[in-house]
Amino acid sequence: MGRHNSIYFSGGNFVRRRTTSSDHPYYWHLEDIVGVHSPRIKFGRRPRNNNQLRWSKYSQVKPVLPRVQITGGAGFVGSHLVDQLMIAGHEVIVADNFFTGRKRNVEHWIGHENFELIHHDIVNPLFIEVDEIYHLASPASPPHYMYNPVKTIKTNTVGTINMLGLAKRVGARVLIASTSEVYGDPEVHPQPETYWGHVNPIGPRACYDEGKRVSETLSYAYARQEKVDVRVARIFNTYGPRMHMNDGRVVSNFILQSLKNETITIYGHGKQTRSFQYVSDLVDGLVGLMASNYSLPINIGNPIEHTIEEFAILIKKLVGGPSKIEQTSAVEDDPQRRKPDIKRAKTYLGWEPKVSSLGLKLSGEFSKMD
């Protein structure tokens, strides 16, 4: 069964709903004018001109891709998502307050007719018309989210409420970028989506960990009460071009220290583990989840596990140079093991990482780090 959209005219607005068709999967159907709203009907944007629709039943026109909003779209992950959606032909609106995002990450799209960049903090409401919302806005590295913990909490609570409210008003599907940090310092390994986590609610990382947990709670409250169409991605450690060199995370720390011939510092004993995915794999997973019919949380991460010590040795080998590897005092509430169970992603999205070796990608990353 193919999926297409049906267009209705009601109350001066064009109204769109998803239906299925076995014979015309890519047709727009202009059906009878209706004067009542059905729960199955979703509001869409008014066509810019009548040439976008041919006023005959079952008239074939070019498929219209969803208009997409990305909060935090000028950040590391968001900018790569912008690239993929723009190349696919979507209209993309980026909302970013540039706390960790940077305009240069998306400057190559400025001036394109399908791209719009808005300097906006999503703790304040945003009134636009879109079909899909990727809510990625939030500092994600410990130094950044600990810099202003109250602001981090507001972004992940008030900001999420604003995006869910927008989705409710315009009938958009919304994808919430959650995190593996909802599992805290896990007592279950690897971590399936059914695991409720082991989080310190008052520790230094709690502003981010608990902020994301509340973000998920809000999402499903809106789904149950307001029938908002939600998707939740639990994102595991990610690396790639456009990362901040000084963001305090393992990949950028080790690369920067190696390039400067400084001592590579490992917090704690170095036996704690992480699973690193390349940013292109993550973006593929996010786009696949948005397009899917699966609404429960899904882990998006690479299940290949490395100790921090192994990773430091790999970075030193790839970069070369005289850097030594030394251990320093452990960080409070630092998770000891982190590895995603990706059975759901494989089953419901047909997704798994394509970049399986850190070395293959890392060897070409050093010149691309900002």
Side-chain angles (χ1 to χ4, degrees):
M1 297 287 283
R3 190 174 76 176
H4 66 272
N5 293 314
S6 295
I7 297 294
Y8 296 83
F9 186 83
S10 178
N13 291 301
F14 284 90
V15 183
R16 177 165 53 196
R17 71 177 181 183
R18 292 186 176 92
T19 60
T20 57
S21 168
S22 59
D23 53 345
H24 298 292
Y26 297 105
Y27 283 13
W28 289 82
H29 291 192
L30 184 66
E31 300 183 355
D32 296 333
I33 292 176
V34 295
V36 296
H37 299 303
S38 161
R40 297 171 58 194
I41 294 174
K42 294 191 173 185
F43 284 94
R45 292 175 288 112
R46 182 190 299 274
R48 292 179 178 175
N49 56 64
N50 288 341
N51 293 329
Q52 285 189 252
L53 295 174
R54 296 180 183 177
W55 298 94
S56 59
K57 199 167 187 177
Y58 302 110
S59 60
Q60 185 173 4
V61 297
K62 184 178 179 180
V64 177
L65 294 173
R67 190 181 196 211
V68 180
Q69 180 200 346
I70 305 174
T71 69
F76 161 48
V77 173
S79 62
H80 286 281
L81 178 60
V82 169
D83 289 346
Q84 181 158 322
L85 295 176
M86 286 293 295
I87 290 170
H90 292 266
E91 289 185 49
V92 176
I93 301 172
V94 168
D96 203 301
N97 68 353
F98 301 112
F99 173 58
T100 57
R102 289 165 292 182
K103 188 179 292 186
R104 65 181 176 180
N105 287 343
V106 293
E107 66 182 358
H108 49 288
W109 295 115
I110 294 175
H112 193 287
E113 63 179 357
N114 286 347
F115 181 76
E116 184 175 354
L117 177 61
I118 303 173
H119 188 176
H120 183 82
D121 191 326
I122 53 98
V123 299
N124 301 308
L126 184 60
F127 300 97
I128 57 176
E129 292 188 47
V130 291
D131 305 302
E132 294 177 350
I133 301 168
Y134 289 85
H135 179 33
L136 275 58
S138 175
S141 71
H144 289 156
Y145 64 64
M146 292 180 189
Y147 175 77
N148 188 340
V150 173
K151 179 67 172 180
T152 298
I153 294 169
K154 289 176 69 175
T155 299
N156 286 294
T157 54
V158 178
T160 298
I161 289 171
N162 286 333
M163 292 305 101
L164 290 166
L166 173 61
K168 173 188 172 183
R169 287 193 300 273
V170 301
R173 176 176 291 179
V174 57
L175 185 150
I176 303 297
S178 187
T179 173
S180 59
E181 296 295 335
V182 300
Y183 300 124
D185 187 6
E187 298 175 324
V188 172
H189 192 79
Q191 294 82 56
E193 293 88 347
T194 52
Y195 177 52
W196 290 355
H198 178 225
V199 176
N200 177 0
I202 60 172
R205 303 169 70 103
C207 60
Y208 184 68
D209 300 3
E210 296 289 21
K212 288 295 187 181
R213 287 164 69 95
V214 173
S215 181
E216 290 193 16
T217 302
L218 285 166
S219 300
Y220 290 107
Y222 268 80
R224 295 185 185 99
Q225 180 174 319
E226 307 295 346
K227 310 306 178 188
V228 173
D229 195 9
V230 302
R231 302 289 181 269
V232 172
R234 290 178 178 165
I235 299 171
F236 282 67
N237 293 72
T238 306
Y239 70 99
R242 303 177 191 160
M243 288 185 69
H244 278 283
M245 281 300 288
N246 60 348
D247 74 353
R249 286 183 281 194
V250 172
V251 175
S252 51
N253 268 3
F254 288 177
I255 291 177
L256 183 61
Q257 289 168 343
S258 297
L259 288 174
K260 290 184 174 182
N261 295 324
E262 297 175 349
T263 299
I264 298 175
T265 53
I266 295 176
Y267 295 106
H269 48 64
K271 303 302 180 185
Q272 58 270 56
T273 66
R274 296 293 184 271
S275 301
F276 298 95
Q277 69 181 334
Y278 194 62
V279 66
S280 61
D281 284 332
L282 170 58
V283 169
D284 287 343
L286 295 176
V287 172
L289 177 56
M290 178 66 87
S292 77
N293 292 319
Y294 194 79
S295 60
L296 291 177
I298 286 191
N299 290 335
I300 305 292
N302 193 325
I304 298 176
E305 191 176 12
H306 296 267
T307 68
I308 299 299
E309 185 178 47
E310 290 171 348
F311 192 57
I313 294 170
L314 175 60
I315 294 287
K316 176 177 166 56
K317 180 180 178 181
L318 289 170
V319 176
S323 294
K324 297 180 180 180
I325 299 175
E326 293 184 358
Q327 296 179 359
T328 186
S329 56
V331 177
E332 185 178 354
D333 294 336
D334 188 32
Q336 294 303 297
R337 303 192 74 185
R338 186 62 59 74
K339 176 183 176 179
D341 182 329
I342 62 169
K343 292 188 184 72
R344 277 190 185 177
K346 287 182 177 180
T347 301
Y348 296 103
L349 308 183
W351 178 90
E352 59 183 321
K354 297 175 183 177
V355 182
S356 59
S357 172
L358 281 171
L360 288 176
K361 279 292 182 180
L362 278 173
S363 59
E365 289 310 301
F366 307 114
S367 63
K368 301 177 185 177
M369 302 292 287
D370 291 329

